[in-house]
Amino acid sequence: MAFAFYLDGNEVYKKVKKFFWRLMNDDTYQYKKVFDFFMFFLVLISVGILLYDIKNEVYPLLEDFDFYFITTIFLIEYIIRLWVYNDIHKIIIQEYEEAYFLGREFNLKKVFKEILLKKWEYIKSPFAIIDLLAILPGYRPLRIFRIFVIFRLFKLLRYTKSINTFIEVLANKRFELFILLIAVSFVTFIGGAVIYVFEAHSNPKIENLFDAIYWSLITISTVGYGDITPVTKEGRVLTMILIIFGIGFISFATSIIASAFTEKLEELKAERVVRTIKNMNDVYLICGYSNEAEILCERFSKENQDFVVVDIDDKRISKASIKGYIALKGDVTQKDFLKSLDFEKISKVFVLTNNDISNAFMILSIRAFFKDDDIKIIALANDEKNISKIQKAGADYVVVPTSVTSLLIAEYIGNPITFEVIDAILTEKRNAVIDEIIVIEDSILDGKLIGEIDFDKYKLILFGVLKKKESNLLNKTFSLSNGHFYFNPPFDLKLEAGDIIVVMGYSISVNYFKYLVERSSI
């Protein structure tokens, strides 16, 4: 009992067991790929040695390598899989706590029974049986065990995802395939029985019912070896009928497998996208591929910003995929779908559908699933009346496209030149951009006065500075949700780590200045 509690509280033991569990079972674990490749290689070598040994004399060194190394590795793998399948100490602790709570004696017999049942659950699983039988061919004194070499080939199924996928596809259509098998068996038997009746006494190649059924199966499959051919008119008519049935069966089987793969294809695409996200850093999640989202994607694509488009509509997903964006079909309001996304890698979420109710539900679902406030949600409000509702749902910023459009139109009417400048900046027609640069600690900006920075040298124009704290020395400011913004700040304003300066210039100038700031902080 004390040892069970010791294991339950031992972090090293937990880490070691988790490592081996992930090594054996977690497809996303990086070391599992190496392990799978290593085991795949070992299986091929061992099968090659065993096959060569059937008609040749194997070198003693290879024989020892197969028995002492490969078979031992297989045995260790089997033991580790049995070990990580479940936690024995948790069964003991659970029984102890139940006994203590109910005031009864600790039932050792019940504990042993449950432990054995759990382990037996693994031992009788198909893959565990294959693993066990794959160990036996290594014992050479009993040559009969070499027949189990086939299980070493089956063992490859563990380490090849594509073969597993193929089996999974067939398993999903097992009902249709079973019906097909019944139909083929029935027609084969009927065909064999009829040809046996017609030609049992006239065809020397058909000596018994087995020959007749063999001929029937070969004919239905359209293989036609030609070793048995009908010699009567009735038999030839039957042959033609069976060939027609055979073509139908083959077409039916092909359509079943093809439809299964089509259904699986979407799932495989989704898995690939999810794996891609896991390999990214600082990903933006765009929910809904609306017109606004399309413009945003073009901007992120130009800036080489990693992003993923999520939508429930096939056409919109297809449209995003055609443009080369990473797109995933899914419903953000579903918990299972959110689980598949790695929110540790996502820093910003853009909710941009043309339906405010959908936007609010998406935001609520994301906030409920991922409670970290560090993730920023920017949402679209198609109606100004819904701004407060979307903010209450959890959006950090809400953009109203109609208001923005109206302001731009008003600007165009009153100040057409200003409008063209703004339009050029927003659309980057002249490579002119307005961008934010974070003051990184110990960088060339940290601790500097505004007057000490030569923006002209870098071909930049300073718009303003965002500081988290309001300064009494500065009057011309307005509050934002994350600080206080100062237009045209004075030369004696000191920059601090965390401040954000907003500059305008050509994209090449801005990117170069960002590079200098980041490099100086290293």
Side-chain angles (χ1 to χ4, degrees), residues 284-290 292-294 296-297 300 307-311 332 348-352:
Y284 291 175
L285 180 67
I286 299 175
C287 306
Y289 194 61
S290 58
E292 292 80 3
E294 196 172 343
L296 195 65
C297 289
F300 289 157
F307 64 93
V308 178
V309 177
V310 175
D311 203 303
V332 178
K348 289 185 177 65
V349 178
F350 297 85
V351 184
L352 304 176

Side-chain angles (χ1 to χ4, degrees), residues 11-61:
E11 292 300 324
V12 176
Y13 172 78
K14 288 180 181 176
K15 284 181 180 177
V16 170
K17 190 162 188 177
K18 186 178 180 182
F19 167 77
F20 281 110
W21 185 90
R22 295 192 70 187
L23 193 66
M24 300 290 161
N25 302 298
D26 189 356
D27 289 332
T28 63
Y29 194 42
Q30 55 179 337
Y31 297 117
K32 186 177 186 303
K33 292 178 182 175
V34 179
F35 174 74
D36 286 351
F37 180 78
F38 173 69
M39 294 302 293
F40 190 90
F41 186 65
L42 281 188
V43 170
L44 290 182
I45 291 177
S46 67
V47 170
I49 293 173
L50 288 168
L51 292 177
Y52 183 78
D53 191 32
I54 292 173
K55 282 197 170 184
N56 303 279
E57 194 66 31
V58 177
Y59 292 109
L61 186 63

Side-chain angles (χ1 to χ4, degrees), residues 127-143:
F127 272 125
I129 293 171
I130 290 172
D131 286 344
L132 183 62
L133 294 177
I135 297 170
L136 298 180
Y139 188 66
R140 294 178 181 276
L142 290 178
R143 299 184 71 84

Side-chain angles (χ1 to χ4, degrees), residues 347-359:
S347 60
K348 289 185 177 65
V349 178
F350 297 85
V351 184
L352 304 176
T353 75
N354 292 322
N355 187 313
D356 290 347
I357 298 174
S358 297
N359 289 347

Side-chain angles (χ1 to χ4, degrees), residues 117-132:
L117 284 175
K118 279 288 179 187
K119 293 302 180 188
W120 176 246
E121 191 176 275
Y122 171 76
I123 291 170
K124 69 179 183 180
S125 64
F127 272 125
I129 293 171
I130 290 172
D131 286 344
L132 183 62

